[in-house]
Amino acid sequence: MQHELILILDFGSQYTQLIARRVREQGVYCEIHPFHLSVEKIVEMNPKGVILSGGPSSVTDEDAPRVDSDFYDNIDAPILGICYGMQMLAIDLGGKSEPAEAREYGHAKLKRLSGKTSLFKDLPEKLDVWMSHGDHVTELPEGFNKTATTGEVITAIENPERQIFAVQFHPEVSHTPKGKDILRNYLFDICGCHGDWTPKQFIEEEVEKIKSIVGETGKVVCGLSGGVDSTVAATLVHEAIGDRQICIFVNNGLLRHREFEDTLKLYKDKLHLNVVGVDASKEFYEELKNITDPEEKRKIIGRKFIEVFDAEAHKIDGDVEYLVQGTLYPDVIESVSLRGSSVTIKSHHNVGGLPEKMNFKLIEPLRELFKDEVRVIGKDLDIPDEILQRHPFPGPGLAVRILGDITPEKVELLQSVDKIFIEELHENDLYNETWQAFAVLLPIQSVGVMGDFRTYEKTIALRAITSTDGMTADWARLPHDFLAKVSSRITSEIRGVNRVVYDISSKPPSTIEWE
Ligand code: XMP
């Protein structure tokens, strides 16, 4: 089925994905593509509307990113320019944008000008909006009206005849409280969307698609990790082909306390997945012996995982042509790089490498979805909150939370400490307030006192962060009394730990994990 489509052309703004999420929240499907998508391709996609995103460049730069020169004449769908998008379209259509005297960043009060404008329909005369720009429009292109200002600055313009609208502020951020209404006016009144993007429909369509790809007898294999994405992907595929999907859940010995046993049970008893649990802890510990370098740990774990998975997949009777992966939309958006390629900070591993190594074709039922949408789909598929609300957990697991070499004893100690921290977070309704929370075992010992005795024992660092996507993060302001309780439980219940510290670093400059 063809959905109504809103196309977002990305000029490199940090908020582009947020625009997409705001559009989808209103039940309208949208896709992000780089700004240089050809006009021919855009016409072929037949969007109901095209949004031009913000971006870090100055429109006055010679090499500033631009849409093709014949864009405006060939696109019939209503256009909405946001920030950089507004400045660019103003220049492209014969107006002027210039650097402002000072960069405007943060809250501003917008005043609507009289006259009818469908973009601000039913909204108050004055609005709080969020600005982040260096340039601004100083001269309107022919046929355009000024529809709002903030002080001297032109904040919104439109050409109703050509159905081109533009705003200087960011309607997609939460600091623009009426931003959602502005986007709703654009989507429904201006573009004429109906909102045909619903979880139920997504599931139905995806199930049909998977059925037709795999056929009547085909088999697929799926690697489960205990996390949200692989679980939702597998459950969706299960709806389509049942037990012809064989799931493999590997215990690398680096999972949380009882996670392997409990999640395996949940997969089998609650979600009725056809799943094989493989306990390969010993093999992983063997390979990780005396390894201290974080990147080397990651590589070993990645390689070993593929070996174990490969061996298990070969035991399946009959031909397995497909591999199910929980790839999400942010992983497949072609990113606009205006500042050169980015460097690798950490080599992340999930089940990467498997398709090449084993010659699989891929089934990626979540590749059109954002994480929050995956949770909604998961809820519709009756996956318990215990999985859907679970914090992200790195592929290499506790290996990157045990600084230095890894032994089964250290893993067990960290599992017990982590369990206390997570238990208390749940108990105090703080688990969902944090994006990720965990304990780190440090490779140092420090002096303490217990009873009348001097101790010289291990140190635990607690890390809890808030974030929206893990790209940036802030340390969570957990209540002092809560931290006191966790610290006291750890030092009294866990032998060998006499000190607990709380990590108060943000990302950047730190990363979320310690390795
Ligand atoms: P960092 O530490 O890079 O973490 O700030 C960002 C997010 O990624 C997770 N992470 C990983 N996930 N394999 C994964 O699958 C990895 O090697 C890995 N390293 C970090 C981390 O837990 C956080 O959510």
Side-chain angles (χ1 to χ4, degrees):
M1 179 191 151
Q2 271 294 1
H3 284 284
E4 294 171 342
L5 168 73
I6 293 291
L7 184 63
I8 300 169
L9 293 183
D10 181 26
F11 291 84
S13 164
Q14 55 174 329
Y15 299 132
T16 304
Q17 291 197 17
L18 209 48
I19 305 176
R21 283 162 61 185
R22 295 289 164 264
V23 170
R24 290 193 184 185
E25 270 167 21
Q26 313 220 27
V28 177
Y29 180 66
C30 64
E31 285 181 11
I32 299 173
H33 288 269
F35 65 89
H36 47 71
L37 188 69
S38 73
V39 170
E40 213 178 15
K41 184 79 196 154
I42 298 175
V43 171
E44 191 188 308
M45 292 166 90
N46 191 25
K48 297 283 281 184
V50 180
I51 299 179
L52 310 174
S53 86
S57 311
S58 166
V59 260
T60 53
D61 289 350
E62 219 160 89
D63 56 355
R66 288 254 135 63
V67 286
D68 282 349
S69 54
D70 57 349
F71 173 82
Y72 304 95
D73 287 336
N74 286 286
I75 304 301
D76 290 332
I79 294 169
L80 173 64
I82 295 178
C83 197
Y84 178 89
M86 163 163 167
Q87 298 146 17
M88 181 191 66
L89 72 80
I91 292 187
D92 287 349
L93 296 169
K96 235 185 193 175
S97 289
E98 290 174 298
E101 268 173 25
R103 221 186 128 74
E104 195 180 12
Y105 186 79
H107 283 286
K109 200 72 162 179
L110 167 152
K111 186 171 177 310
R112 288 178 50 190
L113 302 177
S114 54
K116 271 214 314 221
T117 160
S118 32
L119 202 56
F120 296 113
K121 196 186 102 183
D122 297 336
L123 292 179
E125 178 116 355
K126 290 194 172 152
L127 295 172
D128 288 315
V129 295
W130 180 262
M131 296 282 197
S132 170
H133 65 112
D135 300 334
H136 61 130
V137 172
T138 50
E139 224 172 82
L140 299 189
E142 211 180 296
F144 275 75
N145 310 315
K146 189 159 55 165
T147 52
T149 53
T150 56
E152 299 294 300
V153 178
I154 302 174
T155 314
I157 59 173
E158 67 179 34
N159 181 334
E161 210 165 295
R162 293 186 69 176
Q163 291 285 284
I164 300 179
F165 303 79
V167 292
Q168 179 59 73
F169 59 92
H170 289 275
E172 68 276 21
V173 304
S174 57
H175 301 297
T176 300
K178 294 282 181 200
K180 191 174 172 185
D181 304 272
I182 294 170
L183 287 173
R184 192 190 52 228
N185 286 339
Y186 171 69
L187 296 172
F188 295 97
D189 283 16
I190 297 174
C191 299
C193 293
H194 297 90
D196 63 1
W197 172 251
T198 63
K200 195 166 165 290
Q201 214 162 10
F202 172 85
I203 293 172
E204 277 171 18
E205 285 168 29
E206 212 49 44
V207 164
E208 284 314 310
K209 219 190 289 176
I210 297 164
K211 274 186 185 162
S212 78
I213 293 175
V214 182
E216 297 286 315
T217 55
K219 284 189 175 177
V220 310
V221 63
C222 171
L224 289 170
S225 71
V228 183
D229 308 339
S230 64
T231 308
V232 175
T235 310
L236 202 49
V237 174
H238 185 79
E239 292 274 305
I241 59 164
D243 285 355
R244 283 188 287 130
Q245 166 184 244
I246 297 96
C247 301
I248 299 174
F249 182 28
V250 176
N251 184 7
N252 56 13
L254 303 160
L255 302 175
R256 285 165 288 212
H257 179 77
R258 283 198 57 83
E259 181 158 12
F260 180 65
E261 298 80 356
D262 293 350
T263 312
L264 189 59
K265 191 165 162 22
L266 187 149
Y267 283 148
K268 287 183 176 167
D269 300 349
K270 180 111 199 173
L271 299 176
H272 310 293
L273 297 175
N274 179 6
V275 56
V276 186
V278 187
D279 188 356
S281 316
K282 286 209 176 73
E283 292 172 51
F284 279 84
Y285 292 149
E286 196 54 42
E287 302 243 354
L288 286 167
K289 218 179 225 168
N290 301 323
I291 305 292
T292 54
D293 178 70
E295 282 302 286
E296 208 177 328
K297 285 183 191 172
R298 276 195 170 76
K299 286 205 183 87
I300 291 173
I301 295 165
R303 179 174 47 73
K304 188 77 212 159
F305 177 83
I306 293 180
E307 271 173 41
V308 174
F309 191 92
D310 191 21
E312 208 54 48
H314 272 99
K315 294 181 192 163
I316 301 171
D317 280 342
D319 267 353
V320 179
E321 206 181 338
Y322 295 95
L323 173 75
V324 179
Q325 281 198 326
T327 316
L328 301 190
Y329 192 46
D331 306 327
V332 297
I333 297 172
E334 191 184 332
S335 64
V336 168
S337 172
L338 301 169
R339 296 190 175 123
S341 56
S342 54
V343 290
T344 304
I345 313 277
K346 294 176 191 179
S347 58
H348 284 198
H349 128 88
N350 282 324
V351 279
L354 276 175
E356 296 85 35
K357 168 96 177 25
M358 299 177 63
N359 231 347
F360 281 130
K361 290 187 213 151
L362 287 180
I363 293 183
E364 298 175 305
L366 313 178
R367 63 180 280 129
E368 286 168 354
L369 304 182
F370 289 107
K371 190 91 173 183
D372 32 10
E373 294 174 315
V374 173
R375 292 205 167 99
V376 175
I377 300 291
K379 192 103 198 140
D380 262 45
L381 290 167
D382 285 334
I383 297 173
D385 274 356
E386 167 190 350
I387 290 219
L388 293 182
Q389 300 306 331
R390 201 171 262 184
H391 286 165
F393 189 67
L398 299 182
V400 290
R401 296 176 180 173
I402 296 173
L403 275 53
D405 72 315
I406 291 157
T407 63
E409 295 74 31
K410 286 186 191 174
V411 171
E412 201 180 321
L413 182 139
L414 188 59
Q415 282 177 333
S416 312
V417 172
D418 187 72
K419 176 169 176 275
I420 293 176
F421 189 23
I422 300 300
E423 240 171 45
E424 288 294 333
L425 283 165
H426 279 300
E427 191 98 336
N428 291 279
D429 290 331
L430 291 167
Y431 186 83
N432 290 337
E433 303 290 310
T434 57
W435 197 79
Q436 226 174 345
F438 52 88
V440 182
L441 178 59
L442 304 187
I444 51 168
Q445 285 179 286
S446 74
V447 175
V449 56
M450 214 167 257
D452 290 334
F453 295 98
R454 173 189 187 275
T455 59
Y456 187 57
E457 289 178 328
K458 296 191 170 65
T459 305
I460 289 288
L462 299 178
R463 177 99 166 119
I465 55 113
T466 54
S467 176
T468 47
D469 53 12
M471 300 296 285
T472 58
D474 198 4
W475 58 280
R477 281 15 177 211
L478 294 177
H480 288 178
D481 288 349
F482 169 79
L483 290 170
K485 168 128 192 258
V486 175
S487 165
S488 141
R489 273 198 64 191
I490 292 172
T491 47
S492 60
E493 292 176 32
I494 309 296
R495 269 179 98 96
V497 176
N498 67 353
R499 192 176 295 271
V500 177
V501 297
Y502 187 55
D503 183 348
I504 52 167
S505 333
S506 60
K507 172 185 179 175
S510 300
T511 52
I512 296 174
E513 303 289 346
W514 276 47
E515 283 195 341

